[in-house]
Amino acid sequence: MNYNLKELQYINNKMPLNDRLLYNTFFIKDYSGKNLRKPKQHVIFKADPIDEMGSRSSLSRDVDSTDIDHWEMNYHEAAIFLEEGENNEKFDSHPRHPSALPAYLLVHNKLYYGLDLFFSMTLLALALVENPAVDRFELPAIIHSTLELICLGVIGVELALKLRWIGWSTILNHKRTMIKCITLFIMVIEAVAVLVRQSSHFRVTRGLRPLFLVDTRACGAVRRYIRQILQSLPPILDMLVLLLFFVCSYSLLGYFLFSAHENFYFKTLPDSFISMFVLLTTANFPDVMMPSYNKTKWSAVFFISYISTVLYVLMNLMLAVVYETFTGIEKDKFRKLLLHKRQACKLAFRLLVSRQNPNTIRFKQFQGLMRYFSPKTCQRDVILIYRQLNSSGTGLLTQDEFLNIYDAISLRWRHKDPPDPWFTAAWPPLRTFCRNARVLVSLPYFEYIVYVLIIGNGLAMFIRVMESSVDLEDGARHFCASWDAWVFYMLFLIEALIRIISFGWIDYISSGWNTYDLSVTLLAIWGSVLLLMSPGFTFVVILRPLRILRLFKLKKRYRDIFGTLVLLSPLMWSTAVVMMVMYYFFAIVGMELFAGYTLENCCLNSTVEPFYKFYSNSSNSGIAYYYLNNFSNLLTSGVTLFELTVVNNWFIIMDAYAFVSGQPYLRLFFMIFYLFTMVVLTIVVASVLEAFRFRIQYKQQTSKKDEELMLHEEVIIDWNSLQQQIHDPKLLESLQMDFVYGGVTSYIGRRARTRDVLQRHMYITEITQWLQEAENEERQDINSIIEEAHINARLITA
């Protein structure tokens, strides 16, 4: 079908892929602030004519000056698209006006990322010095309010710069940015009020400060995890409604059954509801049952049926529902990220093709892209990545090949043929010693000897523990600083040194277990020396047994557990940050509500009086110290909230504050906190189960041989083909150190065993289906746009 000029112009304007950035070339600089036309560290080729370019970048679309290297601008914009795909950023966040470009480049650099993170954490730390402050940390209101305004100002600069390029009209589409703006506005007003009044006021909004930390570049994984939690909320809320229905029903029944039994847990209907809510956590069982059980043994049926229903049925059912939902969300998240990266690659690809080759990319353009997308990648690796992508062997990258660029860049390259040992050029006697050490380490019995030493170390520790000691310091010294301890320390250190001189330092630390063994050995030696110098540091006794952990590697089940922990480590970090954010919010609210109340000798004539009554200095009872569970400052509040998370006797703290405040409705704070922690911890358990199930399925479907093939890629470089590909003599001369001149060189690229890599292997069938569906949707969108353009152009012509 042929179209006239008006039709083609309309199609070009309607196509989403042609939505380009309107940059001013005067401002174009890379993230380090250097001029784009003079990038360093790499060889620069003479720019091609504009007519050769398949697509003009928005960086230079309105500039026709002959002294502008338009290809460089294409490379830079293509790198921006790839970075947005890698960071899962929306493509509509591009700056769309030349004046917005400096703001975009300022915000998107590592220095500003660091400043944003530093001031966000400083803002959180201000809660330590604000009233109520940690002892000896309190600062005057004028100081901490000024510091708060400085932190908010730096964060506000980032927001102002971001709004400069995304525009105020699109802020409603960026909900996170909108929430951040509103929170910042409220906090600035409150900080100014504190500065003017020279005193703090009721400020629960301080609990929203973690929003700024979560929005930093370093917490991208945390934001994705929070998004997963929010997506998992609907089934959780459904189960919570059902759970609360049973709690309310049993509360009503318990009130009418036991209020006449002189059971103060059911004295009133609100007391009945609180008692049954606490019983949901089993913290007050069997105390709540005993008064009624004393009246009639049949009352046990009520409590047993309640616990069996809500705890063992509904709570476990909630975990099953959340697990199923979380599994689907995890796969959907992987699908969306995959398709987002694919779209980023397509947008970048269109900027790298030429008119002579509209469907392929030459090495010259790929090299230019890598200068901006991955500037630290050496020229050898750029060539290897290009060859690995070019599976067809034509020398030109097609779009389908270019879509794998994210995976190719993650590869770590080494010579296929093992290089000469590091000690090849060493002094002959040393070379002989190193060669013999390598032979010793390569023996199959060497590992068994190491395991025997570890077992011997464990037996020696057991004997030392069974020995009687004068005091704790003497026992600690005998345990980890005795002669047998030093013997094993030296043997373990010799074992590590033999491995290091055999394979070299780089190969040695490439093994996680080797790094662990050396680290715990050095820490144990340091701990023993510290204990000999300062006998009071008895905590170092934990360092000696750590080496025994190596024995768990022998059993497959433990290897699966350790492998799951490795897969879960990023998720656990995100979980820790989410829990910290939740603790910080509730700690701030708790301090604002309860910091003015003292719990010592409180709650007279109440059920929790024994836990707060001071007996005598000679008393060894731990219950008299419950007054320490308070909200007097941020750190103490964190400890109190952790005790509430464990839910053991948590109602004692809740009832105490309800009693001293005279406000029974304040129990809602503790009950809401329990619900929040239950939701988050349920999702954490579901994520752990999902990760373990995923790893088990992966191990069942993938053999060791298949895994090695999946994690490794081989690239063979022929020097003659390399000369045809690269026409720069200086670059070819520098590459002679990495490739055999006139011959053939083989390299092996290794992928890290990350969850993303394993998911690509496990979801290979689904990935093919997802990509096909995406292609069909794009084809339908293009056909509809073309059809609409054809109709509108005819109408215009008419």
Side-chain angles (χ1 to χ4, degrees), residues 10 21 56 151 183 235 290 332 337 423 474 484 525 553 572 595 623 638 646 653 671 698 720 770 783-784:
Y10 185 85
L21 310 179
R56 288 280 298 277
C151 295
T183 305
M290 288 296 103
D332 188 62
L337 185 57
F423 50 80
D474 182 68
D484 56 286
I525 294 174
K553 182 185 176 183
M572 290 298 100
I623 63 174
V646 179
I653 305 173
M671 298 167 74
Y698 167 77
N720 294 329
W770 296 337
N783 291 336
S784 63

Side-chain angles (χ1 to χ4, degrees), residues 386-607:
Y386 185 83
R387 290 295 185 90
Q388 194 274 327
L389 288 173
N390 188 214
S391 57
S392 61
T394 60
L396 299 174
L397 289 183
T398 63
Q399 180 174 274
D400 290 339
E401 293 173 336
F402 185 75
L403 294 178
N404 298 316
I405 186 172
Y406 291 109
D407 175 58
I409 288 179
S410 66
L411 294 170
R412 296 296 175 261
W413 301 95
R414 62 175 178 81
H415 279 283
K416 180 181 179 181
D417 298 325
D420 294 334
W422 67 272
F423 50 80
T424 301
W427 183 44
L430 178 61
R431 185 166 63 245
T432 302
F433 174 76
C434 294
R435 186 178 295 110
N436 293 333
R438 171 169 286 200
V439 172
L440 175 63
V441 172
S442 302
L443 291 176
Y445 299 104
F446 183 80
E447 289 293 334
Y448 295 107
I449 295 175
V450 174
Y451 288 130
V452 169
L453 290 177
I454 295 175
I455 294 174
N457 183 37
L459 293 175
M461 286 188 292
F462 179 76
I463 294 173
R464 289 297 182 183
V465 168
M466 300 303 296
E467 291 179 350
S468 59
S469 303
V470 178
D471 51 26
L472 289 177
E473 295 180 356
D474 182 68
R477 186 168 55 253
H478 280 82
F479 182 78
C480 61
S482 57
W483 66 268
D484 56 286
W486 285 104
V487 168
F488 284 106
Y489 293 158
M490 292 302 104
L491 290 175
F492 291 144
L493 196 59
I494 291 172
E495 176 242 339
L497 291 175
I498 291 176
R499 292 181 187 272
I500 292 173
I501 63 177
S502 300
F503 301 106
W505 174 252
I506 301 298
D507 289 344
Y508 177 81
I509 63 174
S510 62
S511 169
W513 280 109
N514 287 342
T515 304
Y516 173 80
D517 290 342
L518 181 60
S519 299
V520 298
T521 300
L522 294 178
L523 283 174
I525 294 174
W526 169 80
S528 299
V529 173
L530 182 62
L531 188 63
L532 292 175
M533 296 174 60
S534 301
F537 290 99
T538 56
F539 65 89
V540 298
V541 297
I542 190 60
L543 299 175
R544 185 179 179 184
L546 292 179
R547 189 62 193 269
I548 299 179
L549 189 63
R550 179 66 180 259
L551 295 176
F552 290 91
K553 182 185 176 183
L554 294 173
K555 191 172 179 60
K556 180 181 182 302
R557 188 179 304 278
Y558 291 124
R559 291 198 299 271
D560 290 337
I561 293 174
F562 291 142
T564 304
L565 289 176
V566 172
L567 291 179
L568 280 173
S569 55
L571 180 63
M572 290 298 100
W573 169 249
S574 299
T575 302
V577 176
V578 171
M579 292 295 292
M580 186 206 72
V581 167
M582 185 178 66
Y583 271 42
Y584 189 93
F585 174 80
F586 279 96
I588 294 295
V589 177
M591 287 191 295
E592 295 291 349
L593 293 175
F594 307 118
Y597 299 109
T598 302
L599 298 182
E600 290 187 70
N601 293 316
C602 74
C603 312
L604 298 178
N605 301 321
S606 69
T607 58

Side-chain angles (χ1 to χ4, degrees), residues 384 411-417 711-715 746-750:
L384 293 172
L411 294 170
R412 296 296 175 261
W413 301 95
R414 62 175 178 81
H415 279 283
K416 180 181 179 181
D417 298 325
L711 296 178
H712 294 83
E713 297 287 348
E714 181 178 358
V715 172
S746 297
Y747 276 87
I748 295 293
R750 178 175 177 81

